[in-house]
Amino acid sequence: MQQPIAILDSGVGGLTVAKEVMRQLPREKIIYFGDTARTPYGPRPADEITRFTREIVDYLIQYRPKMIVIACNTATAVALEDIRSRVAVPVVGVIHPGARAANSSTQTGVVGVIGTEGTISSGAYENALKQLSPTIEVVSLACPRFVTLVEQGNFRSEETFNTVKTSLGSLQAGNLDTLILGCTHYPFLAETIGEVMGKDVRLISSDGETAREISTILHDRNRLERAEDMPVHQFFCSGDPVMFKRIAQQWLGEQIELTPIVWQVPQIANRTVG
Amino acid sequence: MQQPIAILDSGVGGLTVAKEVMRQLPREKIIYFGDTARTPYGPRPADEITRFTREIVDYLIQYRPKMIVIACNTATAVALEDIRSRVAVPVVGVIHPGARAANSSTQTGVVGVIGTEGTISSGAYENALKQLSPTIEVVSLACPRFVTLVEQGNFRSEETFNTVKTSLGSLQAGNLDTLILGCTHYPFLAETIGEVMGKDVRLISSDGETAREISTILHDRNRLERAEDMPVHQFFCSGDPVMFKRIAQQWLGEQIELTPIVWQVPQIANRTVG
């Protein structure tokens, strides 16, 4: 039987990672869990985020995943090591792939990181970068207004340009040549962020980088899927399935031909909402 | 005791991989073996290449490496799976990292590969790409004259430009948006190849991509080095150590401050040269 890759997120943001896994590894079956009933995780205390993440992993483990992907910056920052110590399969977060890509890309040794306040204050990107290269210089900046712009679908307006330009002003000095978009929502603003930062700054999105590390690790462990049949993905959410399905189809459906989706709302929602 | 990463190559080409490991993972200790007495591997039969690679691995294993890197396209194409089946530590080649980076990068789904005749005729890049994405289109081309240009130090002359332009002519049609430099010598010609292919074609060098996958796999296996001390690397070659040392210092010495190098010529050279 084909063992899936389990991808979990606090809501819909992790669908960008799922989309990249579908693009880069079209043979792999995905099971996705969006904890839409309890999103966002950002403002929650660390022990609560760890508990939520454990609950979702406990739920997904019944599907015998060959790998668990924490496709949420906040949950990765707080709970990655906890989950790694609890399960036998490899666990991948979104922070180390982004940090590794930036470390590989930078020539000046100066890397910027933008993210939510929770992710930035955790210092997780800085720790991951310094673990690789002790002398790397990291400039971190919380951009709390960006998520709202994305959730409004406001990717390319003048208001968006002005907000991005004002927010990123402090990053434009110095030798910074690489900028990590440390939030799954930010890739939707990549064009605007690119215009503001200029063409000499390379933008790193965790979605594509995480999909690539999933591929590397499955190959190293000799667990890449060999079956020729196209996989049937499964999506779960803890909140309103109608809204989740609409967003997922909008994000995934246009460029990727989806095999039939089994929509299920697990019991976890009833236990934990509110 | 710090366990090293063992990097082996048919000669000096794999030093580009070693240099990238030093840049991306400055805490990691490297032991490098260049089989300069028996280079090049390209024209040799497969069973001989496998035997040579096994001999070098058997020699290096006494240093208790935590990983083995086959930094030679020909040896990777022929002997990677054999070595993976023989040792308990992870074994990384240069072909899958390049293929994975190209698969991740391409938007059109059309990827070019250039390499030596041996590498191209093995079909190893095409196999690696199709294993990831069955529908990807791969255009392969042997460029035997490029290695000579590099070994002459002839990176940027008019002759080089004309040779590259003539050789790559057949790649410039179609939707190709990503080109894998499938030979450790080719990155020295990257500027010229980039001029010929145009700015819309992304060039993939295996050196940086391989270093990044080494980082990913060591992180997944919880084997990244944590020591603060800078490592002392060791270099071995089976041929003339004076010439090897001169090239290694020229390639590694300018941008990277090397800790003292222990130069050793193992017995393998005496057994097998000639």
Side-chain angles (χ1 to χ4, degrees), chain A residues 23-24 27 84 100 103-104 106 131 209 212 215-216 219-221, chain B residues 23-24 27 84 100 103-104 106 131 209 212-213 215 219-221:
Chain A
R23 188 178 72 85
Q24 295 185 32
R27 288 176 166 158
R84 282 185 87 171
R100 204 172 340 265
N103 179 58
S104 164
T106 183
Q131 185 194 3
E209 305 301 342
R212 180 165 163 205
S215 175
T216 304
H219 179 248
D220 174 53
R221 291 174 178 250
Chain B
R23 188 178 74 84
Q24 295 185 33
R27 288 176 166 158
R84 282 185 87 171
R100 206 172 338 266
N103 179 58
S104 164
T106 183
Q131 186 194 3
E209 305 301 342
R212 180 165 164 206
E213 297 221 346
S215 174
H219 179 248
D220 175 52
R221 292 174 178 249

PDB file of all heavy atoms in Angstrom, chain A residues 23-24 27 84 100 103-104 106 131 209 212 215-216 219-221, chain B residues 23-24 27 84 100 103-104 106 131 209 212-213 215 219-221:
ATOM      1  N   ARG A  23       3.821  19.342  -7.302  1.00  0.00           N
ATOM      2  CA  ARG A  23       4.536  19.723  -8.520  1.00  0.00           C
ATOM      3  C   ARG A  23       5.871  18.984  -8.626  1.00  0.00           C
ATOM      4  O   ARG A  23       6.214  18.445  -9.688  1.00  0.00           O
ATOM      5  CB  ARG A  23       4.784  21.235  -8.524  1.00  0.00           C
ATOM      6  CG  ARG A  23       5.345  21.766  -9.836  1.00  0.00           C
ATOM      7  CD  ARG A  23       5.532  23.284  -9.812  1.00  0.00           C
ATOM      8  NE  ARG A  23       6.633  23.717  -8.981  1.00  0.00           N
ATOM      9  CZ  ARG A  23       7.909  23.777  -9.380  1.00  0.00           C
ATOM     10  NH1 ARG A  23       8.246  23.434 -10.607  1.00  0.00           N
ATOM     11  NH2 ARG A  23       8.853  24.181  -8.557  1.00  0.00           N
ATOM     12  N   GLN A  24       6.628  18.964  -7.525  1.00  0.00           N
ATOM     13  CA  GLN A  24       7.962  18.375  -7.578  1.00  0.00           C
ATOM     14  C   GLN A  24       7.954  16.853  -7.437  1.00  0.00           C
ATOM     15  O   GLN A  24       8.868  16.185  -7.901  1.00  0.00           O
ATOM     16  CB  GLN A  24       8.852  18.982  -6.485  1.00  0.00           C
ATOM     17  CG  GLN A  24       9.115  20.467  -6.677  1.00  0.00           C
ATOM     18  CD  GLN A  24      10.095  21.028  -5.657  1.00  0.00           C
ATOM     19  OE1 GLN A  24      10.998  20.344  -5.208  1.00  0.00           O
ATOM     20  NE2 GLN A  24       9.921  22.286  -5.284  1.00  0.00           N
ATOM     21  N   ARG A  27       4.239  11.771  -7.890  1.00  0.00           N
ATOM     22  CA  ARG A  27       3.857  10.390  -7.563  1.00  0.00           C
ATOM     23  C   ARG A  27       3.468  10.210  -6.099  1.00  0.00           C
ATOM     24  O   ARG A  27       2.959   9.145  -5.714  1.00  0.00           O
ATOM     25  CB  ARG A  27       5.021   9.444  -7.855  1.00  0.00           C
ATOM     26  CG  ARG A  27       5.261   9.243  -9.325  1.00  0.00           C
ATOM     27  CD  ARG A  27       6.485   8.377  -9.552  1.00  0.00           C
ATOM     28  NE  ARG A  27       6.493   7.939 -10.936  1.00  0.00           N
ATOM     29  CZ  ARG A  27       7.559   7.536 -11.590  1.00  0.00           C
ATOM     30  NH1 ARG A  27       8.722   7.492 -10.985  1.00  0.00           N
ATOM     31  NH2 ARG A  27       7.482   7.167 -12.843  1.00  0.00           N
ATOM     32  N   ARG A  84       9.684  15.452  16.540  1.00  0.00           N
ATOM     33  CA  ARG A  84      10.777  14.574  16.081  1.00  0.00           C
ATOM     34  C   ARG A  84      11.106  13.517  17.120  1.00  0.00           C
ATOM     35  O   ARG A  84      11.464  12.387  16.782  1.00  0.00           O
ATOM     36  CB  ARG A  84      12.059  15.387  15.803  1.00  0.00           C
ATOM     37  CG  ARG A  84      12.037  16.124  14.485  1.00  0.00           C
ATOM     38  CD  ARG A  84      13.374  16.814  14.203  1.00  0.00           C
ATOM     39  NE  ARG A  84      14.302  15.919  13.527  1.00  0.00           N
ATOM     40  CZ  ARG A  84      15.468  16.297  13.005  1.00  0.00           C
ATOM     41  NH1 ARG A  84      15.855  17.554  13.076  1.00  0.00           N
ATOM     42  NH2 ARG A  84      16.246  15.427  12.409  1.00  0.00           N
ATOM     43  N   ARG A 100      18.408  26.808   5.088  1.00  0.00           N
ATOM     44  CA  ARG A 100      19.467  26.125   4.327  1.00  0.00           C
ATOM     45  C   ARG A 100      19.596  26.720   2.928  1.00  0.00           C
ATOM     46  O   ARG A 100      20.696  26.938   2.430  1.00  0.00           O
ATOM     47  CB  ARG A 100      19.167  24.630   4.253  1.00  0.00           C
ATOM     48  CG  ARG A 100      20.405  23.812   4.036  1.00  0.00           C
ATOM     49  CD  ARG A 100      20.183  22.310   4.155  1.00  0.00           C
ATOM     50  NE  ARG A 100      19.032  21.881   4.863  1.00  0.00           N
ATOM     51  CZ  ARG A 100      19.004  21.551   6.153  1.00  0.00           C
ATOM     52  NH1 ARG A 100      20.104  21.609   6.874  1.00  0.00           N
ATOM     53  NH2 ARG A 100      17.894  21.179   6.734  1.00  0.00           N
ATOM     54  N   ASN A 103      21.320  30.065   3.297  1.00  0.00           N
ATOM     55  CA  ASN A 103      22.740  29.853   3.601  1.00  0.00           C
ATOM     56  C   ASN A 103      23.507  29.437   2.354  1.00  0.00           C
ATOM     57  O   ASN A 103      24.656  29.838   2.139  1.00  0.00           O
ATOM     58  CB  ASN A 103      22.857  28.766   4.679  1.00  0.00           C
ATOM     59  CG  ASN A 103      24.286  28.453   5.053  1.00  0.00           C
ATOM     60  OD1 ASN A 103      25.035  29.318   5.475  1.00  0.00           O
ATOM     61  ND2 ASN A 103      24.672  27.206   4.861  1.00  0.00           N
ATOM     62  N   SER A 104      22.849  28.638   1.513  1.00  0.00           N
ATOM     63  CA  SER A 104      23.475  28.195   0.267  1.00  0.00           C
ATOM     64  C   SER A 104      23.551  29.326  -0.752  1.00  0.00           C
ATOM     65  O   SER A 104      24.498  29.414  -1.529  1.00  0.00           O
ATOM     66  CB  SER A 104      22.661  27.008  -0.271  1.00  0.00           C
ATOM     67  OG  SER A 104      22.958  26.749  -1.601  1.00  0.00           O
ATOM     68  N   THR A 106      23.447  32.855  -0.224  1.00  0.00           N
ATOM     69  CA  THR A 106      24.080  34.141   0.058  1.00  0.00           C
ATOM     70  C   THR A 106      25.569  34.147  -0.299  1.00  0.00           C
ATOM     71  O   THR A 106      26.292  33.189  -0.037  1.00  0.00           O
ATOM     72  CB  THR A 106      23.917  34.539   1.543  1.00  0.00           C
ATOM     73  OG1 THR A 106      24.494  35.842   1.730  1.00  0.00           O
ATOM     74  CG2 THR A 106      24.594  33.554   2.482  1.00  0.00           C
ATOM     75  N   GLN A 131      23.435  27.721  13.235  1.00  0.00           N
ATOM     76  CA  GLN A 131      23.866  26.329  13.415  1.00  0.00           C
ATOM     77  C   GLN A 131      24.671  25.875  12.194  1.00  0.00           C
ATOM     78  O   GLN A 131      25.643  25.134  12.309  1.00  0.00           O
ATOM     79  CB  GLN A 131      22.637  25.432  13.604  1.00  0.00           C
ATOM     80  CG  GLN A 131      23.000  23.971  13.931  1.00  0.00           C
ATOM     81  CD  GLN A 131      21.832  23.017  13.796  1.00  0.00           C
ATOM     82  OE1 GLN A 131      20.730  23.402  13.393  1.00  0.00           O
ATOM     83  NE2 GLN A 131      22.050  21.764  14.134  1.00  0.00           N
ATOM     84  N   GLU A 209      11.313  25.145  -1.189  1.00  0.00           N
ATOM     85  CA  GLU A 209      12.507  24.606  -0.519  1.00  0.00           C
ATOM     86  C   GLU A 209      12.141  23.413   0.355  1.00  0.00           C
ATOM     87  O   GLU A 209      12.894  22.437   0.438  1.00  0.00           O
ATOM     88  CB  GLU A 209      13.173  25.702   0.329  1.00  0.00           C
ATOM     89  CG  GLU A 209      13.525  26.978  -0.425  1.00  0.00           C
ATOM     90  CD  GLU A 209      14.477  26.752  -1.595  1.00  0.00           C
ATOM     91  OE1 GLU A 209      15.133  25.691  -1.636  1.00  0.00           O
ATOM     92  OE2 GLU A 209      14.556  27.630  -2.469  1.00  0.00           O
ATOM     93  N   ARG A 212      11.568  20.395  -1.797  1.00  0.00           N
ATOM     94  CA  ARG A 212      12.832  19.816  -2.242  1.00  0.00           C
ATOM     95  C   ARG A 212      13.499  19.003  -1.145  1.00  0.00           C
ATOM     96  O   ARG A 212      14.056  17.940  -1.398  1.00  0.00           O
ATOM     97  CB  ARG A 212      13.773  20.933  -2.704  1.00  0.00           C
ATOM     98  CG  ARG A 212      15.041  20.329  -3.155  1.00  0.00           C
ATOM     99  CD  ARG A 212      15.916  21.214  -3.944  1.00  0.00           C
ATOM    100  NE  ARG A 212      17.222  20.599  -3.941  1.00  0.00           N
ATOM    101  CZ  ARG A 212      18.339  21.237  -4.096  1.00  0.00           C
ATOM    102  NH1 ARG A 212      18.339  22.532  -4.298  1.00  0.00           N
ATOM    103  NH2 ARG A 212      19.484  20.605  -4.072  1.00  0.00           N
ATOM    104  N   SER A 215      11.946  15.657  -0.831  1.00  0.00           N
ATOM    105  CA  SER A 215      12.461  14.799  -1.892  1.00  0.00           C
ATOM    106  C   SER A 215      13.839  14.239  -1.530  1.00  0.00           C
ATOM    107  O   SER A 215      14.109  13.039  -1.678  1.00  0.00           O
ATOM    108  CB  SER A 215      12.524  15.605  -3.193  1.00  0.00           C
ATOM    109  OG  SER A 215      13.118  14.899  -4.239  1.00  0.00           O
ATOM    110  N   THR A 216      14.727  15.090  -1.039  1.00  0.00           N
ATOM    111  CA  THR A 216      16.084  14.663  -0.664  1.00  0.00           C
ATOM    112  C   THR A 216      16.046  13.587   0.420  1.00  0.00           C
ATOM    113  O   THR A 216      16.734  12.563   0.337  1.00  0.00           O
ATOM    114  CB  THR A 216      16.902  15.868  -0.147  1.00  0.00           C
ATOM    115  OG1 THR A 216      16.904  16.896  -1.129  1.00  0.00           O
ATOM    116  CG2 THR A 216      18.331  15.472   0.170  1.00  0.00           C
ATOM    117  N   HIS A 219      14.596  10.288  -0.749  1.00  0.00           N
ATOM    118  CA  HIS A 219      15.584   9.598  -1.581  1.00  0.00           C
ATOM    119  C   HIS A 219      16.677   8.964  -0.726  1.00  0.00           C
ATOM    120  O   HIS A 219      17.041   7.799  -0.912  1.00  0.00           O
ATOM    121  CB  HIS A 219      16.193  10.580  -2.594  1.00  0.00           C
ATOM    122  CG  HIS A 219      17.231   9.966  -3.472  1.00  0.00           C
ATOM    123  ND1 HIS A 219      18.554  10.297  -3.397  1.00  0.00           N
ATOM    124  CD2 HIS A 219      17.152   9.004  -4.418  1.00  0.00           C
ATOM    125  CE1 HIS A 219      19.243   9.584  -4.279  1.00  0.00           C
ATOM    126  NE2 HIS A 219      18.411   8.792  -4.901  1.00  0.00           N
ATOM    127  N   ASP A 220      17.198   9.722   0.236  1.00  0.00           N
ATOM    128  CA  ASP A 220      18.245   9.193   1.123  1.00  0.00           C
ATOM    129  C   ASP A 220      17.755   7.951   1.854  1.00  0.00           C
ATOM    130  O   ASP A 220      18.511   7.006   2.068  1.00  0.00           O
ATOM    131  CB  ASP A 220      18.656  10.280   2.127  1.00  0.00           C
ATOM    132  CG  ASP A 220      19.642   9.766   3.169  1.00  0.00           C
ATOM    133  OD1 ASP A 220      20.675   9.191   2.756  1.00  0.00           O
ATOM    134  OD2 ASP A 220      19.401   9.938   4.375  1.00  0.00           O
ATOM    135  N   ARG A 221      16.484   7.956   2.246  1.00  0.00           N
ATOM    136  CA  ARG A 221      15.934   6.819   2.995  1.00  0.00           C
ATOM    137  C   ARG A 221      15.332   5.760   2.071  1.00  0.00           C
ATOM    138  O   ARG A 221      14.697   4.827   2.555  1.00  0.00           O
ATOM    139  CB  ARG A 221      14.876   7.327   3.977  1.00  0.00           C
ATOM    140  CG  ARG A 221      15.484   8.160   5.111  1.00  0.00           C
ATOM    141  CD  ARG A 221      14.397   8.760   5.969  1.00  0.00           C
ATOM    142  NE  ARG A 221      14.921   9.522   7.083  1.00  0.00           N
ATOM    143  CZ  ARG A 221      14.832   9.131   8.367  1.00  0.00           C
ATOM    144  NH1 ARG A 221      14.246   8.005   8.681  1.00  0.00           N
ATOM    145  NH2 ARG A 221      15.320   9.889   9.324  1.00  0.00           N
TER     146      ARG A 221
ATOM    147  N   ARG B  23      32.022  26.135   2.453  1.00  0.00           N
ATOM    148  CA  ARG B  23      31.313  27.407   2.511  1.00  0.00           C
ATOM    149  C   ARG B  23      29.978  27.255   3.246  1.00  0.00           C
ATOM    150  O   ARG B  23      29.640  28.060   4.107  1.00  0.00           O
ATOM    151  CB  ARG B  23      31.070  27.923   1.079  1.00  0.00           C
ATOM    152  CG  ARG B  23      30.499  29.347   1.027  1.00  0.00           C
ATOM    153  CD  ARG B  23      30.327  29.837  -0.409  1.00  0.00           C
ATOM    154  NE  ARG B  23      29.215  29.219  -1.089  1.00  0.00           N
ATOM    155  CZ  ARG B  23      27.940  29.620  -1.002  1.00  0.00           C
ATOM    156  NH1 ARG B  23      27.619  30.657  -0.259  1.00  0.00           N
ATOM    157  NH2 ARG B  23      26.990  28.995  -1.673  1.00  0.00           N
ATOM    158  N   GLN B  24      29.212  26.211   2.894  1.00  0.00           N
ATOM    159  CA  GLN B  24      27.870  26.067   3.455  1.00  0.00           C
ATOM    160  C   GLN B  24      27.874  25.413   4.836  1.00  0.00           C
ATOM    161  O   GLN B  24      26.948  25.625   5.622  1.00  0.00           O
ATOM    162  CB  GLN B  24      26.981  25.250   2.506  1.00  0.00           C
ATOM    163  CG  GLN B  24      26.722  25.942   1.182  1.00  0.00           C
ATOM    164  CD  GLN B  24      25.739  25.172   0.305  1.00  0.00           C
ATOM    165  OE1 GLN B  24      24.825  24.523   0.786  1.00  0.00           O
ATOM    166  NE2 GLN B  24      25.923  25.254  -1.005  1.00  0.00           N
ATOM    167  N   ARG B  27      31.570  24.102   9.783  1.00  0.00           N
ATOM    168  CA  ARG B  27      31.949  23.324  10.965  1.00  0.00           C
ATOM    169  C   ARG B  27      32.327  21.888  10.637  1.00  0.00           C
ATOM    170  O   ARG B  27      32.839  21.168  11.497  1.00  0.00           O
ATOM    171  CB  ARG B  27      30.782  23.276  11.953  1.00  0.00           C
ATOM    172  CG  ARG B  27      30.555  24.589  12.644  1.00  0.00           C
ATOM    173  CD  ARG B  27      29.325  24.519  13.531  1.00  0.00           C
ATOM    174  NE  ARG B  27      29.336  25.656  14.419  1.00  0.00           N
ATOM    175  CZ  ARG B  27      28.267  26.143  15.028  1.00  0.00           C
ATOM    176  NH1 ARG B  27      27.099  25.578  14.858  1.00  0.00           N
ATOM    177  NH2 ARG B  27      28.364  27.194  15.813  1.00  0.00           N
ATOM    178  N   ARG B  84      26.087   2.401  -2.032  1.00  0.00           N
ATOM    179  CA  ARG B  84      24.997   2.540  -1.047  1.00  0.00           C
ATOM    180  C   ARG B  84      24.660   1.201  -0.408  1.00  0.00           C
ATOM    181  O   ARG B  84      24.294   1.140   0.761  1.00  0.00           O
ATOM    182  CB  ARG B  84      23.727   3.096  -1.726  1.00  0.00           C
ATOM    183  CG  ARG B  84      23.758   4.586  -1.969  1.00  0.00           C
ATOM    184  CD  ARG B  84      22.432   5.099  -2.530  1.00  0.00           C
ATOM    185  NE  ARG B  84      21.495   5.422  -1.459  1.00  0.00           N
ATOM    186  CZ  ARG B  84      20.327   6.052  -1.644  1.00  0.00           C
ATOM    187  NH1 ARG B  84      19.957   6.422  -2.835  1.00  0.00           N
ATOM    188  NH2 ARG B  84      19.547   6.311  -0.631  1.00  0.00           N
ATOM    189  N   ARG B 100      17.418  17.077  -8.826  1.00  0.00           N
ATOM    190  CA  ARG B 100      16.363  17.570  -7.933  1.00  0.00           C
ATOM    191  C   ARG B 100      16.243  19.090  -8.018  1.00  0.00           C
ATOM    192  O   ARG B 100      15.139  19.641  -8.049  1.00  0.00           O
ATOM    193  CB  ARG B 100      16.657  17.133  -6.498  1.00  0.00           C
ATOM    194  CG  ARG B 100      15.421  17.039  -5.660  1.00  0.00           C
ATOM    195  CD  ARG B 100      15.644  16.423  -4.282  1.00  0.00           C
ATOM    196  NE  ARG B 100      16.791  15.606  -4.118  1.00  0.00           N
ATOM    197  CZ  ARG B 100      16.799  14.280  -4.261  1.00  0.00           C
ATOM    198  NH1 ARG B 100      15.695  13.639  -4.547  1.00  0.00           N
ATOM    199  NH2 ARG B 100      17.925  13.608  -4.088  1.00  0.00           N
ATOM    200  N   ASN B 103      14.525  19.891 -11.287  1.00  0.00           N
ATOM    201  CA  ASN B 103      13.108  19.533 -11.191  1.00  0.00           C
ATOM    202  C   ASN B 103      12.337  20.569 -10.378  1.00  0.00           C
ATOM    203  O   ASN B 103      11.188  20.910 -10.689  1.00  0.00           O
ATOM    204  CB  ASN B 103      12.985  18.151 -10.533  1.00  0.00           C
ATOM    205  CG  ASN B 103      11.558  17.692 -10.368  1.00  0.00           C
ATOM    206  OD1 ASN B 103      10.809  17.587 -11.332  1.00  0.00           O
ATOM    207  ND2 ASN B 103      11.161  17.438  -9.125  1.00  0.00           N
ATOM    208  N   SER B 104      12.989  21.073  -9.340  1.00  0.00           N
ATOM    209  CA  SER B 104      12.368  22.096  -8.500  1.00  0.00           C
ATOM    210  C   SER B 104      12.302  23.448  -9.214  1.00  0.00           C
ATOM    211  O   SER B 104      11.358  24.213  -9.037  1.00  0.00           O
ATOM    212  CB  SER B 104      13.185  22.196  -7.204  1.00  0.00           C
ATOM    213  OG  SER B 104      12.890  23.358  -6.508  1.00  0.00           O
ATOM    214  N   THR B 106      12.406  24.157 -12.711  1.00  0.00           N
ATOM    215  CA  THR B 106      11.770  24.328 -14.027  1.00  0.00           C
ATOM    216  C   THR B 106      10.285  24.677 -13.912  1.00  0.00           C
ATOM    217  O   THR B 106       9.559  24.105 -13.098  1.00  0.00           O
ATOM    218  CB  THR B 106      11.945  23.062 -14.903  1.00  0.00           C
ATOM    219  OG1 THR B 106      11.368  23.335 -16.183  1.00  0.00           O
ATOM    220  CG2 THR B 106      11.265  21.841 -14.295  1.00  0.00           C
ATOM    221  N   GLN B 131      12.372   9.742 -12.484  1.00  0.00           N
ATOM    222  CA  GLN B 131      11.939   9.105 -11.232  1.00  0.00           C
ATOM    223  C   GLN B 131      11.136  10.101 -10.386  1.00  0.00           C
ATOM    224  O   GLN B 131      10.148   9.740  -9.749  1.00  0.00           O
ATOM    225  CB  GLN B 131      13.167   8.617 -10.458  1.00  0.00           C
ATOM    226  CG  GLN B 131      12.805   7.814  -9.199  1.00  0.00           C
ATOM    227  CD  GLN B 131      13.984   7.614  -8.257  1.00  0.00           C
ATOM    228  OE1 GLN B 131      15.081   8.111  -8.479  1.00  0.00           O
ATOM    229  NE2 GLN B 131      13.734   6.887  -7.176  1.00  0.00           N
ATOM    230  N   GLU B 209      24.526  22.383  -5.102  1.00  0.00           N
ATOM    231  CA  GLU B 209      23.332  21.573  -4.824  1.00  0.00           C
ATOM    232  C   GLU B 209      23.685  20.335  -3.995  1.00  0.00           C
ATOM    233  O   GLU B 209      22.932  19.936  -3.110  1.00  0.00           O
ATOM    234  CB  GLU B 209      22.667  21.153  -6.136  1.00  0.00           C
ATOM    235  CG  GLU B 209      22.314  22.297  -7.080  1.00  0.00           C
ATOM    236  CD  GLU B 209      21.365  23.325  -6.484  1.00  0.00           C
ATOM    237  OE1 GLU B 209      20.696  23.016  -5.479  1.00  0.00           O
ATOM    238  OE2 GLU B 209      21.303  24.448  -7.023  1.00  0.00           O
ATOM    239  N   ARG B 212      24.258  21.333  -0.433  1.00  0.00           N
ATOM    240  CA  ARG B 212      22.989  21.563   0.259  1.00  0.00           C
ATOM    241  C   ARG B 212      22.324  20.246   0.651  1.00  0.00           C
ATOM    242  O   ARG B 212      21.762  20.132   1.733  1.00  0.00           O
ATOM    243  CB  ARG B 212      22.058  22.377  -0.633  1.00  0.00           C
ATOM    244  CG  ARG B 212      20.783  22.584   0.087  1.00  0.00           C
ATOM    245  CD  ARG B 212      19.918  23.635  -0.490  1.00  0.00           C
ATOM    246  NE  ARG B 212      18.608  23.437   0.068  1.00  0.00           N
ATOM    247  CZ  ARG B 212      17.489  23.799  -0.476  1.00  0.00           C
ATOM    248  NH1 ARG B 212      17.513  24.443  -1.610  1.00  0.00           N
ATOM    249  NH2 ARG B 212      16.359  23.566   0.104  1.00  0.00           N
ATOM    250  N   GLU B 213      22.372  19.234  -0.222  1.00  0.00           N
ATOM    251  CA  GLU B 213      21.742  17.957   0.137  1.00  0.00           C
ATOM    252  C   GLU B 213      22.501  17.263   1.268  1.00  0.00           C
ATOM    253  O   GLU B 213      21.903  16.603   2.111  1.00  0.00           O
ATOM    254  CB  GLU B 213      21.626  17.054  -1.102  1.00  0.00           C
ATOM    255  CG  GLU B 213      20.727  17.675  -2.152  1.00  0.00           C
ATOM    256  CD  GLU B 213      19.794  16.689  -2.852  1.00  0.00           C
ATOM    257  OE1 GLU B 213      19.985  15.471  -2.753  1.00  0.00           O
ATOM    258  OE2 GLU B 213      18.855  17.171  -3.513  1.00  0.00           O
ATOM    259  N   SER B 215      23.869  18.810   3.697  1.00  0.00           N
ATOM    260  CA  SER B 215      23.351  19.516   4.872  1.00  0.00           C
ATOM    261  C   SER B 215      21.972  18.983   5.269  1.00  0.00           C
ATOM    262  O   SER B 215      21.702  18.712   6.450  1.00  0.00           O
ATOM    263  CB  SER B 215      23.296  21.014   4.540  1.00  0.00           C
ATOM    264  OG  SER B 215      22.695  21.756   5.564  1.00  0.00           O
ATOM    265  N   HIS B 219      21.187  16.891   8.717  1.00  0.00           N
ATOM    266  CA  HIS B 219      20.205  17.451   9.647  1.00  0.00           C
ATOM    267  C   HIS B 219      19.114  16.434   9.942  1.00  0.00           C
ATOM    268  O   HIS B 219      18.741  16.214  11.097  1.00  0.00           O
ATOM    269  CB  HIS B 219      19.602  18.732   9.062  1.00  0.00           C
ATOM    270  CG  HIS B 219      18.565  19.352   9.946  1.00  0.00           C
ATOM    271  ND1 HIS B 219      17.237  19.393   9.622  1.00  0.00           N
ATOM    272  CD2 HIS B 219      18.662  19.917  11.174  1.00  0.00           C
ATOM    273  CE1 HIS B 219      16.561  19.979  10.597  1.00  0.00           C
ATOM    274  NE2 HIS B 219      17.401  20.302  11.546  1.00  0.00           N
ATOM    275  N   ASP B 220      18.602  15.776   8.896  1.00  0.00           N
ATOM    276  CA  ASP B 220      17.548  14.760   9.088  1.00  0.00           C
ATOM    277  C   ASP B 220      18.033  13.652  10.008  1.00  0.00           C
ATOM    278  O   ASP B 220      17.272  13.131  10.820  1.00  0.00           O
ATOM    279  CB  ASP B 220      17.140  14.188   7.722  1.00  0.00           C
ATOM    280  CG  ASP B 220      16.148  13.047   7.846  1.00  0.00           C
ATOM    281  OD1 ASP B 220      15.118  13.231   8.526  1.00  0.00           O
ATOM    282  OD2 ASP B 220      16.397  11.965   7.262  1.00  0.00           O
ATOM    283  N   ARG B 221      19.310  13.282   9.876  1.00  0.00           N
ATOM    284  CA  ARG B 221      19.853  12.192  10.693  1.00  0.00           C
ATOM    285  C   ARG B 221      20.455  12.691  11.997  1.00  0.00           C
ATOM    286  O   ARG B 221      21.091  11.921  12.728  1.00  0.00           O
ATOM    287  CB  ARG B 221      20.904  11.433   9.874  1.00  0.00           C
ATOM    288  CG  ARG B 221      20.293  10.661   8.698  1.00  0.00           C
ATOM    289  CD  ARG B 221      21.385  10.052   7.843  1.00  0.00           C
ATOM    290  NE  ARG B 221      20.853   9.274   6.733  1.00  0.00           N
ATOM    291  CZ  ARG B 221      20.940   7.934   6.649  1.00  0.00           C
ATOM    292  NH1 ARG B 221      21.521   7.240   7.589  1.00  0.00           N
ATOM    293  NH2 ARG B 221      20.445   7.295   5.606  1.00  0.00           N
TER     294      ARG B 221
END
